[in-house]
Amino acid sequence: MLGRVLTHLDRLVACDTQNPPRTIAPDHPAIAYCISVLKHSGCAISLTDHGDGCVTLLATRGEARTVVNCHLDTVPADPSWTRDPFKLVVEGDDAVGLGACDVKGAAACMLAAIEESDGAVALLLTTDEEAGQSRCVREFLKQELPYDRAVIAEPTGVKAVTKHRGLATYELAFRGVAAHSSVIGADQRNAVHHASLWCAKAIGLTESKPYDDIRLNIGMIEGGTKANVAASSAKVIFGMRPPPGMHPDTPARVLRDLVQDPENCVWKTRFAAPGLDETDGTPGLLSDYGFAKGDPVDFWTEAALFGEAGLATVVLGPGNIKQAHAADEFVPLDDLRRAAEAYKKVFSDPVDAADLAGTMSDAKGAR
């Protein structure tokens, strides 16, 4: 099956799906190629264009209980690439190309697995994961869906990850009053001072439980014009990665209360999503497909959104996260082989309509 995988990966890598810019449309060559392969394998295709480069392709065959998800977009190629990022090259035991690890290698494995299986299929391909808003997945999960399980592709070394951290980013805009720094009281109305005070309090909060493990990161502080002028505005952009089981909203409320002058601070949530945690259905998902369980990871994936929607969910894909977004990105050939076999187990699932109806009835009652 590795030969099929590399054929698909070669075609997918050749398709420019860099994101940004958000220019992927339903007629994009990568989507057209996937549709051709999937139709030839007996899949029905549903294509949804959400605009702004957000396209969803749902391929179905039979009545599956497990939906498998993979994104087709990549980050922009870093200038330090030493070769053509859109030309797949096999070097030794690795396949090198933009997206080979994150995560077109997984998509190629899925296409090959569907070709070599005859079971039920529910494959969701999206184009906006790297944009950071997850619109495709969020819109998909708003529907009434006939699935109680999900397998999400990200680089995990073909281990089934059942837990990972949440992710949230915020922007604080502080307002002050511009004044000469010699004026008494100017420092009390200096927006940069207020921003700095909040940053100090936020860092202090993370030095004790229960917020000592939220992985707070103050990524940007902007404001002011020069040393002798009290700043009229300042901006702080920060993020955090709370552990599984802690929704970002919980520490966010505490952090927001640390603002000294709330009337002169605008708090904006850029992105907030919980982590992935195990559910009652996770052990069955692992055992039914013979997945090897992986350790929890610190990076966030869209698997968390499927888990939040009530599906037993794991993250499983070829490659190592250290190669994701890197120049001369590669994925081991052995990972591709093993991932294709793992996905084939899912696409060989012989669930029929009667069994599926009973399963979903039980699942909805449990939610």
Side-chain angles (χ1 to χ4, degrees):
M1 187 159 34
L2 182 59
R4 285 183 184 267
V5 172
L6 291 175
T7 296
H8 295 319
L9 185 54
D10 179 75
R11 293 291 298 273
L12 292 175
V13 167
C15 297
D16 183 353
T17 57
Q18 295 176 100
N19 189 6
R22 300 183 181 185
T23 56
I24 302 174
D27 60 352
H28 190 281
I31 295 175
Y33 178 73
C34 290
I35 289 175
S36 175
V37 174
L38 292 165
K39 281 187 173 181
H40 190 264
S41 300
C43 293
I45 303 297
S46 175
L47 203 58
T48 304
D49 184 7
H50 302 287
D52 200 25
C54 304
V55 180
T56 298
L57 189 167
L58 178 64
T60 56
R61 185 175 68 191
E63 295 179 306
R65 68 178 299 186
T66 303
V67 60
V68 181
N69 168 240
C70 184
H71 66 89
L72 296 175
D73 56 326
T74 72
V75 295
D78 188 86
S80 60
W81 271 79
T82 63
R83 65 199 73 204
D84 183 352
F86 301 107
K87 181 175 177 59
L88 185 73
V89 177
V90 175
E91 292 187 348
D93 296 327
D94 302 314
V96 185
L98 182 61
C101 176
D102 186 14
V103 68
K104 288 181 175 179
C109 291
M110 292 172 185
L111 294 178
I114 290 173
E115 286 179 312
E116 297 207 359
S117 64
D118 57 6
V121 170
L123 174 63
L124 179 71
L125 299 177
T126 62
T127 66
D128 70 336
E129 195 270 351
E130 299 294 359
Q133 296 300 319
S134 302
R135 182 177 179 185
C136 288
V137 168
R138 291 182 188 276
E139 292 296 325
F140 175 75
L141 292 173
K142 288 179 181 179
Q143 307 172 67
E144 186 72 18
L145 299 171
Y147 315 115
D148 66 338
R149 296 172 164 182
V151 177
I152 313 305
E154 291 293 352
T156 66
V158 203
K159 294 289 185 67
V161 170
T162 62
K163 294 184 178 184
H164 67 60
R165 291 179 177 271
L167 177 66
T169 57
Y170 305 90
E171 179 180 319
L172 282 71
F174 294 86
R175 291 188 295 266
V177 177
H180 195 283
S181 61
S182 67
V183 176
I184 296 176
D187 58 326
Q188 300 299 313
R189 296 174 292 177
N190 187 323
V192 170
H193 285 203
H194 284 279
S196 300
L197 179 62
W198 179 87
C199 289
K201 290 180 178 179
I203 293 171
L205 180 72
T206 65
E207 294 177 350
S208 59
K209 293 184 180 299
Y211 303 118
D212 57 331
D213 193 30
I214 64 172
R215 304 287 176 89
L216 177 77
N217 181 66
I218 298 174
M220 183 183 298
I221 303 175
E222 293 181 343
T225 55
K226 54 187 301 188
N228 64 348
V229 178
S232 62
S233 64
K235 181 169 67 175
V236 174
I237 297 176
F238 78 96
M240 58 178 164
R241 296 176 182 269
M246 179 186 289
H247 196 285
D249 288 351
T250 301
R253 283 192 292 268
V254 180
L255 289 165
R256 190 167 186 168
D257 288 342
L258 298 179
V259 175
Q260 181 172 294
D261 185 5
E263 292 186 359
N264 287 302
C265 178
V266 177
W267 176 289
K268 178 182 178 181
T269 301
R270 288 186 163 191
F271 182 87
L276 175 67
D277 210 344
E278 294 185 8
T279 68
D280 291 342
T282 304
L285 173 58
L286 294 173
S287 62
D288 285 356
Y289 298 131
F291 290 161
K293 185 177 179 179
D295 295 328
V297 296
D298 289 334
F299 59 88
W300 186 84
T301 79
E302 291 179 328
L305 302 178
F306 287 86
E308 187 179 35
L311 283 70
T313 305
V314 299
V315 188
L316 185 148
N320 188 305
I321 194 64
K322 293 180 180 179
Q323 286 302 315
H325 303 182
D328 297 337
E329 174 184 353
F330 67 85
V331 61
L333 298 181
D334 187 58
D335 275 25
L336 293 175
R337 178 188 59 78
R338 292 186 296 117
E341 292 295 340
Y343 296 140
K344 185 177 179 180
K345 293 177 183 177
V346 180
F347 298 135
S348 299
D349 198 338
V351 175
D352 61 32
D355 290 340
L356 183 64
T359 298
M360 290 310 301
S361 176
D362 293 341
K364 289 176 182 176
R367 293 179 199 173

